[in-house]
Amino acid sequence: MTSTEEEKQHTQDEIEEKKYFEKCIRCFRFYRKHALQDVRKAITDFKALPEAHRAMLPNFYAQQTTVMKCIDVNYMFILHMLHDVADMFLPPELEEEVVLHVS
């Protein structure tokens, strides 16, 4: 490989890494929405059960409330984590400016 080919490959690798990273970020951002949808579906499905079957799980609603609270706590952690990596793919010439503004 020539130097130019290596630079092209390196640039292509960076582009692919950035795309994958952005996909991961999107997954994290939609965590809460999708997790709460799962809980709502579980509740809907539970309501569709016969009364005798629902009686077998007397704490179901309380448990789902706890799960929803845990989802919220997890999501707050995710947002904090995402905040720390928000500038990960800035061009090198801008990284210095961001450091100066944060300090």
Side-chain angles (χ1 to χ4, degrees):
M1 261 188 180
T2 66
S3 178
T4 305
E5 289 173 337
E6 288 176 2
E7 288 175 14
K8 267 187 186 175
Q9 182 61 42
H10 180 70
T11 302
Q12 184 62 30
D13 290 346
E14 285 180 352
I15 291 169
E16 290 299 317
E17 183 178 354
K18 182 178 179 183
K19 285 180 184 177
Y20 182 76
F21 183 76
E22 288 171 349
K23 182 179 178 182
C24 291
I25 298 296
R26 279 193 302 277
C27 289
F28 280 127
R29 288 184 196 240
F30 287 106
Y31 159 78
R32 183 176 183 273
K33 177 182 176 181
H34 291 290
L36 290 176
Q37 281 178 344
D38 289 346
V39 172
R40 286 200 255 343
K41 176 148 178 27
I43 292 170
T44 300
D45 292 347
F46 182 76
K47 288 178 181 179
L49 292 173
E51 179 60 38
H53 292 176
R54 284 184 288 181
M56 293 179 192
L57 297 168
N59 297 324
F60 179 80
Y61 290 113
Q63 290 169 340
Q64 297 311 302
T65 300
T66 300
V67 168
M68 288 188 279
K69 288 177 184 176
C70 290
I71 289 169
D72 285 337
V73 170
N74 290 346
Y75 187 63
M76 294 309 295
F77 172 78
I78 287 170
L79 290 178
H80 181 71
M81 182 178 68
L82 292 178
H83 175 62
D84 290 344
V85 297
D87 303 324
M88 188 172 201
F89 286 100
L90 281 177
E93 58 272 8
L94 293 179
E95 287 178 0
E96 200 171 291
E97 289 180 30
V98 172
V99 172
L100 292 176
H101 290 295
V102 173
S103 301

